[in-house]
Amino acid sequence: METSVVRAVAWAVTGAACVGWAVVAGSGNGYPISAPRLSSGAAWLPTSATGGLTLLDGSTARVAAHVHVRVTSMVQHDHDAYVVDAVTGTVRHVDGATMRVGPAIAPLPGARKGLRVLATSTVVYAIDMVSGRVALLDPSSLATRRAPWTSAAGASTGAALDRDGRLWLFDAATGNLSVVTPSGETSEHREAARSGTGTLVPAGDRLVVADGFARKVTIFDHESGRVDRWVPLDPRAAGARAAIGGSSTATRLLVATDGKVSVCDLDRSSCTTPITLDGAGPSLGAPVEAAGRLFVPDYTGGDVFVVDPEDRTAVVARTKIPGGAARLTLIAKDGLVFFNDPMSDRAGVIRPDGTVRSIRKYAPPPPAAPGSTTAPSPIPVTPSAPAPTASPAWARPSPGGSPPTPGPSANAAGDVTARPRTPAPPGGPAPATTVPVIPTVAVTGGPQPDDASRDPRGRPPRPVPGAMFDYQIGGGYPPGPGIEVVSRDRADGAVIGLYNICYIDAFQVRRAENDWWQERHDDLLLRDRSGSRYLVDRPWGMPMLDVSTEEKRRALVGIVGEWIDRCAGNGFQAVEIDNMDSYERSDGQLSADSVVAYLELLIARAGEVDLAVAQTNALGLGKRVKEAGARFAIVEECGRYDECADYEAIYGDDLIDVEYQQAGLNAACDVSDGRFSVVLRDIDVSVPGSPAYVYRTCPPRSQGRPSVSWPLDPITWP
């Protein structure tokens, strides 16, 4: 049976279930182990941070097996898993009966960041979401059944399977739709829907494009693929930040937004009165449905709300997930809901009554012997042939309040004890959780490329160089096709499945927060030499924070540190600390030394919650900020001002450049040559639908000058 992690949110889950950064290299076959006894409710759960898949039996909440393999995305069909490694552009088949890992196959030469797969019992579809190419593969051997071709949808924003095992590809920018049968027959529908920000979602037996931003749903006819009708979304259950999932049992959508959840019946063109999730934060994930219940993740509070949709006043349970729910993926399968953190060993099962069975997906590897560089492999391995194609250089892994707005260790018995990271609550220490050591299948052999996004000193991972990037600090919106990294304001939520950077003003005061700072922390605002006026950073008209003394720097870290903690709780993986160059406009009252000292404190605070830190601008401080612990840089207009090479000299390819003029984009793309990320945005960093909205990026090197990656047409209504 196809899991709803594939069918319900096919595009979102291929990113959300397995985040594509900080992955561990691996190639070859695993040593077969005895087949586990499994119920029908078993799920493969990926761990991208360390590299591996864990097979969890839902009925017993026990781990059946663990396979070490690099994974950036995956899908499951029955008990088999299909694993994508976007670094090398390859796919592997993991046999759920024998746990054998097949060889790495490159089904779409040149496809890497956009490579996805969807699987049925008779065919595996390989898709390049960036170019729109498709290939049909044998589900056992991954041998090519139909050579790659380009679908009419082109660069796709959504991919899903229907009840007959057909592949549907949709591009929100053009409205083009392609339907591919398991035998390779295709039907193309140009401008089938034109929403600009819609998401392809299966709802019962139908496929729809749900657009919370435009508050409408496009419903397609199952047989022909043509538009059947349009249905408006109730404004109470929609909006730009709505998280939308599809029902597996009926033609309805499950919509979570603003601390509420609604069920929208598309046959009746109506939504239920929103059910209030008391205590929910602003960052909700897409609901999933199982056993007549809705499961809604709250990424702010670390909870999962269990709701009975028939009783529209009752929340069955508000379940606290051990360790928080910041980066969890919910997977509904066979009446169960699995939760998984792709960046750690946390996983488990949530029952319909809200009870939780937590597990650890894997045991930590044994420590390396003194003087050695790697730990010994836990079991014998059988190398396999290398992947058919090599990764090009540009795709390689990298060497006091706030304003209103240690690792696991093995015990003597051979079990694994999880030590709580947070201080023990009053009344005594929290009990340790003990689980048996899990049998593993190690995958080795072949080349082992360095994975420098994980730091040898254990620092948080940074984004993969050259990844598709979107700068959304002017307001969050659904990312376009192929986007892997996004920067958003600290007031926004993260996009589950992407690498999320949290934008923070750590040196200035936002206009909306002026009163709060003056009332509570007036002493931390920088004044002019007379002491009678606040010193304003004139380009933006924002008062500056005073980082001149150690006492004030530590006081500020107490405030800004809470923002950083909130970023971590909301699912971000890094923080972007902006305006660190404002000292140059401080009339000599702030120095480079005071700024670096302040940044050292902020970087240390971010490290406590496993967030990487990005330097923003301030080229003159670059070497010192990197030495203080910054993992990468986000710079503005290095192409326009001919500074890209200077930043590269400091950060290498760990660089993201944002340009605001076409000439600057041209220059930056010439320097980057695909090594680091470059994007053109409008100066207001506006959202799609705004007349000023601009998004462009560097083209493939064979296509000349940059062009719009996905032009968004004005939103139109049927």
Side-chain angles (χ1 to χ4, degrees):
M1 178 178 180
E2 189 79 12
T3 69
S4 61
V5 70
V6 175
R7 296 190 67 247
V9 280
W11 163 244
V13 167
T14 50
C18 349
V19 185
W21 59 82
V23 290
V24 176
S27 62
N29 292 337
Y31 187 85
I33 63 175
S34 58
R37 297 178 179 270
L38 297 173
S39 68
S40 59
W44 284 103
L45 306 178
T47 308
S48 295
T50 58
L53 294 179
T54 300
L55 185 61
L56 177 60
D57 188 340
S59 64
T60 62
R62 293 181 180 274
V63 172
H66 185 78
V67 177
H68 286 298
V69 61
R70 181 163 60 193
V71 53
T72 51
S73 67
M74 63 146 287
V75 296
Q76 177 179 348
H77 181 76
D78 289 334
H79 293 319
D80 289 1
Y82 297 89
V83 181
V84 172
D85 177 357
V87 174
T88 59
T90 57
V91 181
R92 294 176 182 273
H93 172 218
V94 181
D95 190 313
T98 65
M99 304 301 114
R100 181 175 177 82
V101 182
I105 302 297
L108 298 168
R112 282 170 176 79
K113 299 171 186 175
L115 181 61
R116 304 289 186 271
V117 295
L118 291 175
T120 74
S121 58
T122 60
V123 68
V124 172
Y125 300 95
I127 311 134
D128 182 0
M129 305 295 286
V130 175
S131 68
R133 287 182 299 151
V134 182
L136 305 186
L137 313 177
D138 180 85
S140 297
S141 66
L142 297 184
T144 300
R145 286 185 174 175
R146 179 177 173 183
W149 77 97
T150 301
S151 71
S156 300
T157 57
L161 297 178
D162 66 15
R163 67 191 183 198
D164 297 326
R166 297 182 301 176
L167 170 68
W168 292 55
L169 293 171
F170 177 71
D171 178 27
T174 62
N176 292 342
L177 175 72
S178 295
V179 181
V180 184
T181 69
S183 62
E185 298 176 0
T186 63
S187 59
E188 314 288 1
H189 307 278
R190 295 189 179 278
E191 299 186 4
R194 300 189 66 83
S195 64
T197 56
T199 301
L200 184 66
V201 180
D205 289 337
R206 308 294 291 271
L207 281 151
V208 306
V209 170
D211 191 341
F213 189 86
R215 296 187 174 92
K216 71 172 182 177
V217 181
T218 305
I219 303 176
F220 297 100
D221 179 77
H222 172 75
E223 299 300 331
S224 68
R226 295 185 177 89
V227 173
D228 183 17
R229 64 187 187 278
W230 289 274
V231 174
L233 273 180
D234 188 330
R236 297 175 301 171
R241 299 188 185 184
I244 302 176
S247 170
S248 59
T249 60
T251 310
R252 60 187 186 184
L253 296 178
L254 317 174
V255 186
T257 185
D258 296 330
K260 299 177 182 179
V261 62
S262 301
V263 178
C264 296
D265 188 325
L266 301 182
D267 290 331
R268 298 181 180 180
S269 300
S270 65
C271 299
T272 62
T273 301
I275 302 170
T276 300
L277 308 176
D278 289 332
S283 182
L284 298 177
V288 300
E289 183 180 36
R293 298 285 189 268
L294 306 183
F295 297 75
V296 187
D298 174 11
Y299 298 115
T300 303
D303 304 319
V304 174
F305 288 85
V306 184
V307 178
D308 182 354
E310 301 302 324
D311 183 353
R312 297 170 184 172
T313 63
V315 173
V316 175
R318 179 180 178 181
T319 299
K320 179 68 69 175
I321 301 298
R327 292 174 293 194
L328 296 185
T329 300
L330 297 186
I331 305 165
K333 185 176 187 294
D334 300 324
L336 300 172
V337 172
F338 298 82
F339 66 87
N340 179 51
D341 181 355
M343 297 300 290
S344 79
D345 62 354
R346 296 188 302 132
V349 178
I350 308 174
R351 306 294 185 188
D353 62 359
T355 57
V356 176
R357 294 285 298 277
S358 297
I359 62 100
R360 294 186 56 190
K361 290 180 286 186
Y362 54 85
S372 66
T373 58
T374 58
S377 176
I379 57 175
V381 297
T382 304
S384 71
T389 60
S391 174
W394 57 262
R396 68 186 184 279
S398 163
S402 55
T405 54
S409 62
N411 61 28
D415 294 336
V416 178
T417 302
R419 295 174 180 168
R421 289 188 56 192
T422 55
T433 302
T434 303
V435 299
V437 174
I438 300 163
T440 61
V441 177
V443 180
T444 61
Q448 303 284 325
D450 292 334
D451 184 15
S453 63
R454 297 297 303 186
D455 186 74
R457 291 175 282 174
R459 294 183 296 180
R462 56 185 181 261
V464 174
M468 285 282 285
F469 172 73
D470 196 1
Y471 208 40
Q472 298 187 3
I473 64 173
Y477 50 86
I483 294 297
E484 298 172 289
V485 181
V486 63
S487 181
R488 287 182 163 186
D489 188 77
R490 59 181 168 89
D492 276 324
V495 183
I496 304 305
L498 303 188
Y499 189 99
N500 296 270
I501 304 166
C502 191
Y503 176 88
I504 289 177
D505 285 307
F507 291 86
Q508 299 172 331
V509 173
R510 299 178 180 183
R511 295 183 185 92
E513 299 171 356
N514 277 342
D515 291 345
W516 184 89
W517 280 94
Q518 292 177 21
E519 291 172 2
R520 302 193 182 190
H521 300 287
D522 187 69
D523 60 317
L524 299 180
L525 299 177
L526 187 65
R527 296 175 181 269
D528 63 13
R529 295 186 181 278
S530 69
S532 61
R533 298 170 61 90
Y534 297 117
L535 197 61
V536 174
D537 198 349
R538 295 199 177 279
W540 296 273
M542 299 168 66
M544 301 172 66
L545 296 174
D546 189 351
V547 299
S548 59
T549 68
E550 180 71 10
E551 180 182 4
K552 291 185 176 183
R553 289 192 290 267
R554 292 193 175 277
L556 285 169
V557 170
I559 299 168
V560 178
E562 290 190 10
W563 306 345
I564 293 173
D565 294 345
R566 195 171 302 145
C567 291
N570 285 345
F572 289 87
Q573 287 76 42
V575 290
E576 171 190 355
I577 300 176
D578 198 9
N579 297 309
M580 60 180 63
D581 60 351
S582 58
Y583 78 97
E584 298 173 349
R585 301 178 292 276
S586 68
D587 196 23
Q589 299 204 71
L590 299 179
S591 66
D593 290 342
S594 64
V595 169
V596 172
Y598 179 41
L599 288 170
E600 288 174 343
L601 296 175
L602 292 175
I603 292 170
R605 178 63 175 263
E608 293 175 2
V609 289
D610 296 327
L611 294 185
V613 173
Q615 173 178 343
T616 305
N617 300 325
L619 176 60
L621 298 179
K623 292 182 180 179
R624 298 180 64 183
V625 175
K626 184 179 181 183
E627 290 173 356
R631 303 283 283 127
F632 61 105
I634 299 178
V635 303
E636 292 176 297
E637 302 195 281
C638 74
R640 178 185 179 188
Y641 294 108
D642 195 23
E643 295 176 338
C644 295
D646 296 324
Y647 280 106
E648 267 200 300
I650 300 170
Y651 284 96
D653 298 341
D654 296 311
L655 178 64
I656 296 172
D657 174 44
V658 181
E659 298 287 336
Y660 300 110
Q661 296 183 8
Q662 182 69 50
L665 179 66
N666 294 345
C669 290
D670 287 343
V671 176
S672 169
D673 199 26
R675 295 189 305 274
F676 58 84
S677 304
V678 182
V679 65
L680 176 71
R681 287 302 327 267
D682 56 281
I683 192 64
D684 295 325
V685 201
S686 57
V687 302
S690 166
Y693 176 81
V694 172
Y695 180 96
R696 295 175 185 166
T697 188
C698 299
R701 285 170 290 177
S702 62
Q703 295 183 9
R705 288 299 183 190
S707 58
V708 179
S709 293
W710 56 89
L712 296 182
D713 296 323
I715 294 173
T716 57
W717 290 80

